[in-house]
Every structure is written in C-alpha cells, then in structure tokens.
Amino acid sequence: MSSQSSENGKGLRVFVGTYTEPEQSASEGVYVYHMDPSSGKLTYDTVIQDLINPSYLAVHPQTGNLYVVHEKGTFQGNHGGGVIALSVHADPGRISLLNKQSSGGEDPCYISIERTGHYALVANYISGCVAMLPIYPDGMLGAPSSICQHAGSSIHPERQDSPYAHCILPDPSNQFAVALDLGIDKLRIYRMDLDAGQLQEHGDVPVAPGSGPRHLAFHPNGRYAYVVCELNSTLIGFGYIAESGTFEEIQSVRTLPQGYEGQNLPADIHITPNGKFLYVSNRKHESIAIFSIDADTGQLTVHDHIPSGGREPRGFAIDPGGKYMLVANQNSNNIVTFLIDPAKGQLSRTGDEVEVPMPVCIKFA
C-alpha cells in the first residue's frame, strides 16, 4: 500500500473511488482531495495506490477510517471480491493499510457501515448476495460473520437473469439493513443482530417488474425513503416505519425530462441535509435531476435537469453543510463542483473542475 502526495490543502477531506480497470483507465487507486468550504474548490492531496477497482467507499462514523471494495471476481488468489480497511490519520496525507478481507461474494459494488461502527455491510453484485463483516476496535475487518444469498430473476433478459445485489445500508433506527437487488426487482429487509453479527431475513418489498432498483436514500426525518431504479429510469418514494421495518409506496416518477425517450441509466441518489431537495444522476442523459420533497407527505416534485458537466455521471456527493455538490463523471474523467441554491435546490457550476481517471464514488470525511 503506497501513496503519492502533494502539498496538502485545508478544509474537508474528500475521497474518490475509481475503476483501475479496464486497461484504458489511468487510475492509480483512491484519490484524496481537500475541499475549501467557502468556495467548493478541490485541491489534490494524494492517491492511495495498490488497489484494484476501489469503486465504492465508506467512511467509519466514529474513527474516520476508510473501507474500500475490491470490485473483482477474484481476491488474493481466491474466488470472490474483497474489502480493504485503511487507517486515516489526523495528520493529513497519512493513510495506511489495516487489513484485507473477503467480501463474501463476487464483484462487491457497495459498502456501508452501521451506526455503532461495529459492522460493515457489503453488496456483492455478481454473486447476488449481501454480507456483514465485523469491524474490530483497532479498525481491522474480520471475515464475514453473515452472508445472505438472494435468489430469483425478473423480466429483463440480460440484466435480470439472476439476483444482482446493488446496495445495502442501515435504516435510520439502525435496527434493519435494506438491500436493493437489481436482478429480482426487490428491496430485501434484514434485521441486524449486532450482538451475533447476523443478518436475519425480515421481509421483501417488490417493485414493478423491469425496474432494477439500484440505490436508496432515507430522508433525514426517517419517515421516507427513495429508491432510484436503473432499468426504467424511475424514482420511487416510500413511507417508512422504523418500528416495524416496513415500506409503503407513495409515488413513482421519472428521472428524465418529459418527452425524452433516449437511453438512460440512473445511478446515484442523495438528499440535502435539510431534507428539502433530492437529486439523481442520469447516465446517458448526462444530467442531474432535481426534485423537491414535501415535508408533510413525502411527495416529490421535479424541478429541473442540469447537465452534469461530463459523460456518464455516476456517483455524486453533497457536502455536510448542504452548500456544494461534487459530481463524478466516469467516462469523461472529471469531477465538477456545483453550488446548491438553499431556497430552490437549483444547481449552478462554480467553475471548479478537476481531472480524475474514471471516478465512481465520492465520500466526504
């Protein structure tokens, strides 16, 4: 594990996950920047090398350590993907390897950490399974303590011939973990047993056949959840009851402008910290869709679609203050900074843009 560092900037630390493969990628690993909270400007810090396809990241809620997927079908000579634990030191630029573990399946594409910080949750896309891995007090990862295999298929002949787990994250109460499976058109709910380190099946929430649920965001008030679906470009709003871990559909809307019938693959979804606005990235349409959220009903109203500033906007992130959005355009190798209008949710480019090879995921420390 190595890094190459330039002079460190000040401000918020930003981690960028990338694809180091295929061969045309020039990526060297996870890129680290600092963002000036007054201007949104990014300053390069370092790159964490010796990582293969570190496409998705999670920051530990207590320690600030970084957990990175190894999105491949093999890991350390064995079948399946992996997860890497990195120690992030208070001294800027000091990031070191803690350890590596199997992810419990092939091609892990998503990782999150439940709120006590004792377990990581991983979605293994190709294997169609999700896993729970213990995080020890020293930050190191243990082998998966629970692996849950999904089964089934849906109507898309190429993308839904088997389960494809695409996302798993804890609910706001930290009692349940919610997994989205693109291949079987279901949200799968697990109760988290944090004493035993086990995921216990709790229930399923089906969505329309051919939807392909991909990513989920909970509203800050904990009463609503929103799912972006990759295969039919829809955004589904749910009422959520944390006591029972149950979802009730409120609404389904398109992520695209009226009249657009071209190809599209929605990717990421985020809500502003104040809960007023929701955004979705549209690959192929090359836009960020802007929605407002009715605080009383959870209903969405579409406001605009803003060009992402590049090709294939994959992941994006909103800074903790809700002032700026960073958009990772995977196929144009750039990250574009937008200013968020606090009253209307509108996005405007700040003029700041950085080149990053095949950026996929952005996380603020």
Side-chain angles (χ1 to χ4, degrees), residues 160-181:
Q160 296 185 312
D161 58 328
S162 66
Y164 294 103
H166 215 309
C167 170
I168 183 169
L169 73 168
D171 80 331
S173 73
N174 212 52
Q175 298 181 80
F176 300 96
V178 184
L180 274 61
D181 195 305

Side-chain angles (χ1 to χ4, degrees), residues 7 47 63 94 106 122 147 189 192 197 270 298 315 326 335 342:
E7 183 179 352
V47 57
T63 67
R94 291 187 60 223
E106 292 182 65
V122 181
I147 300 174
I189 320 303
M192 294 190 295
H270 292 286
L326 305 178
I335 294 176

Side-chain angles (χ1 to χ4, degrees), residues 260-279:
Y260 178 83
E261 299 298 336
Q263 187 180 11
N264 190 57
L265 297 167
D268 206 3
I269 178 173
H270 292 286
I271 298 172
T272 51
N274 62 14
K276 291 183 177 181
F277 304 104
L278 180 150
Y279 303 89

